[in-house]
C-alpha cells in the first residue's frame, strides 16, 4: 500500500509539473499522451486535483490548467523564503531611480522563474510576470543562475536543454553557452543582449546565501536604445548594492562591501558583481 501511495503522489506531482511547464490548458488526451498513465488512473488523479483546487477543469474546452492552490503555495513559498519581502523595497528604489523594470528570479530546472517584479514606465519591456517561466539560456537572470551551478549540475541541466532560438541573438550552441557562462562566472554578472526580446537588454547579478550558493538573480530590463554606457553603469551600481544587501540578509559574508566594476559592459556578458561581495570565494 505504501508503494501505491508513493506512485500516486509521484503521478499527481508529474501532472502539476506538466501543467506548469506548458503554461496553457491541456486536454485529457494531451496529458495522457505525454505521461502515458492508464486512462482510468489519470481520470482519478485529475478529479482529485480539481476537487482539491490544485487543478481547474474548463468544461467548454475540455481542458485542464493549474488551480488556485498552486498560487497559494507559491505565495506561501515566497513568504517562507523571506527574500521577496526583503527585495521589494530595494527593487522599488532601483525602479524609482532608473525608471526601468526590475526582476527577481530563481532557477527551476532549465528555466528561470520570476518571483517578484516592479514595473518601470517604459512602453517596451520584457514579456514577464511573477510566476512566468522563461528558458534560462536566453535571459540575463537565467544565465547568472546557470553560471552559479556546480559544474556537474550545470552539465546535467545543459543535457536537458534544447537551445531553440528565441531571437536572432539567442545562443544556440552548447559549447558557446559554456564559454559564455564561464565568462559570467568570472565577471560576476550577465547582460541579455536582446536574446529573449528584440529591443530589450537586461543586466543581471547573483544573490548568494550563507553557503555561498547562488539562490536568486536580480536584474534591470532596459530598452536597447536607452542602454547607454552611463545608464548601464548606474544600473550596475544599484544592482550590486541591492545584491550585496540581500546576500548579507541571507547570511552571506565576503568581507569588503562591493565596489561596482568600471569594466567593459559591451556584449552579452560583462561587468563584475563580484566587485567583490556578490561573488563566490
Amino acid at each position: 500500500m505504501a508503494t501505491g501511495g508513493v506512485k500516486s503522489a509521484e503521478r499527481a506531482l508529474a501532472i502539476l509539473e506538466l501543467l506548469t511547464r506548458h503554461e496553457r490548458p491541456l486536454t485529457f488526451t494531451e496529458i495522457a499522451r505525454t505521461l502515458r498513465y492508464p486512462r482510468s488512473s489519470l481520470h482519478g488523479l485529475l478529479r482529485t486535483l480539481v476537487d482539491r483546487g490544485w487543478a481547474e477543469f474548463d468544461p467548454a474546452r475540455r481542458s485542464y490548467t493549474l488551480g488556485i492552490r498552486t498560487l497559494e503555495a507559491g505565495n506561501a513559498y515566497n513568504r517562507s523564503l523571506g527574500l521577496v519581502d526583503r527585495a521589494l523595497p530595494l527593487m522599488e528604489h532601483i525602479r524609482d531611480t532608473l525608471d526601468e523594470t526590475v526582476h527577481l528570479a530563481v532557477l527551476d530546472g532549465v528555466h528561470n522563474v520570476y518571483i517578484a517584479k516592479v514595473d518601470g514606465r517604459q512602453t517596451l519591456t520584457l514579456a514577464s510576470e511573477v510566476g512566468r517561466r522563461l528558458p534560462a539560456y536566453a535571459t540575463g537572470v537565467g544565465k547568472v543562475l546557470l553560471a552559479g551551478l556546480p559544474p556537474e549540475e550545470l552539465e546535467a541541466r545543459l543535457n536537458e536543454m534544447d537551445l531553440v532560438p528565441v531571437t536572432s541573438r539567442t545562443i544556440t550552441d552548447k559549447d558557446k553557452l559554456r564559454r559564455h557562462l564561464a565568462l559570467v562566472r568570472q565577471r560576476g554578472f550577465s547582460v541579455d543582449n536582446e536574446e529573449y526580446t528584440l529591443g530589450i537588454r537586461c543586466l543581471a547579478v547573483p544573490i548568494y546565501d550563507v553557503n555561498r550558493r547562488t539562490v536568486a538573480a536580480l536584474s534591470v530590463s532596459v530598452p536597447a536604445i536607452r542602454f547607454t554606457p552611463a545608464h548601464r553603469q548606474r544600473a550596475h551600481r544599484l544592482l550590486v548594492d541591492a545584491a550585496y544587501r540581500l546576500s548579507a540578509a541571507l547570511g552571506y559574508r565576503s568581507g569588503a562591501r562591493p565596489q561596482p566594476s568600471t569594466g567593459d559592459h559591451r556584449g552579452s556578458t560583462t561587468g563584475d558583481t563580484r566587485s567583490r561581495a556578490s561573488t563566490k570565494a
Side-chain angles (χ1 to χ4, degrees):
M1 182 172 291
T3 302
V6 170
K7 181 181 292 186
S8 295
E10 289 178 346
R11 288 180 170 179
L13 291 172
I15 293 171
L16 293 176
E17 290 170 354
L18 180 65
L19 293 174
T20 299
R21 288 197 304 273
H22 280 265
E23 295 188 350
R24 65 173 179 82
L26 296 177
T27 65
F28 178 88
T29 300
E30 289 175 315
I31 297 172
R33 184 187 305 123
T34 302
L35 299 179
R36 299 183 180 180
Y37 294 161
R39 297 178 72 86
S40 58
S41 298
L42 184 57
H43 272 296
L45 289 167
L46 286 168
R47 185 168 55 251
T48 299
L49 290 172
V50 170
D51 289 344
R52 299 296 293 270
W54 290 96
E56 291 182 0
F57 177 66
D58 182 348
R61 297 184 178 183
R62 308 295 297 175
S63 61
Y64 295 86
T65 58
L66 293 174
I68 190 65
R69 293 291 184 191
T70 59
L71 176 62
E72 294 173 352
N75 289 336
Y77 170 79
N78 285 338
R79 288 193 298 271
S80 66
L81 183 64
L83 181 59
V84 172
D85 288 340
R86 292 186 175 103
L88 279 174
L90 297 170
M91 295 170 67
E92 290 168 353
H93 172 67
I94 296 172
R95 186 269 315 275
D96 294 343
T97 303
L98 298 174
D99 191 21
E100 308 289 3
T101 298
V102 185
H103 294 94
L104 181 69
V106 295
L107 191 64
D108 181 18
V110 297
H111 296 84
N112 60 264
V113 180
Y114 296 105
I115 60 174
K117 175 185 180 183
V118 293
D119 288 302
R121 292 178 295 179
Q122 305 302 320
T123 56
L124 184 62
T125 61
L126 181 69
S128 63
E129 57 191 25
V130 173
R132 184 78 183 272
R133 296 159 55 90
L134 298 183
Y137 67 89
T139 69
V141 289
K143 291 184 292 183
V144 162
L145 293 165
L146 290 173
L149 293 173
E152 64 279 3
E153 188 173 348
L154 173 60
E155 284 304 312
R157 300 203 193 197
L158 285 175
N159 288 336
E160 298 176 18
M161 290 183 188
D162 183 12
L163 304 187
V164 177
V166 185
T167 74
S168 59
R169 300 188 176 217
T170 308
I171 297 174
T172 57
D173 178 84
K174 289 189 178 180
D175 286 336
K176 183 177 180 180
L177 181 60
R178 288 185 182 94
R179 294 192 297 270
H180 184 98
L181 295 177
L183 189 58
V184 172
R185 196 176 304 114
Q186 175 189 349
R187 292 181 169 176
F189 72 76
S190 174
V191 174
D192 165 4
N193 186 27
E194 302 180 61
E195 293 157 57
Y196 189 82
T197 302
L198 289 175
I200 294 293
R201 301 186 71 182
C202 298
L203 182 65
V205 302
I207 298 167
Y208 299 112
D209 67 7
V210 65
N211 297 312
R212 298 175 178 264
R213 296 174 301 189
T214 301
V215 294
L218 190 65
S219 74
V220 169
S221 298
V222 184
I225 195 171
R226 287 167 49 85
F227 202 63
T228 62
H231 197 52
R232 58 184 178 242
Q233 286 283 1
R234 192 179 187 194
H236 185 203
R237 286 194 296 270
L238 291 164
L239 286 171
V240 167
D241 182 72
Y244 174 81
R245 292 171 183 267
L246 291 171
S247 297
L250 296 178
Y252 177 81
R253 296 292 181 268
S254 67
R257 190 176 182 79
Q259 298 298 318
S261 166
T262 57
D264 186 2
H265 286 62
R266 293 170 298 178
S268 296
T269 54
T270 63
D272 190 0
T273 319
R274 301 194 302 181
S275 335
R276 290 277 174 219
S278 280
T279 198
K280 295 182 180 178

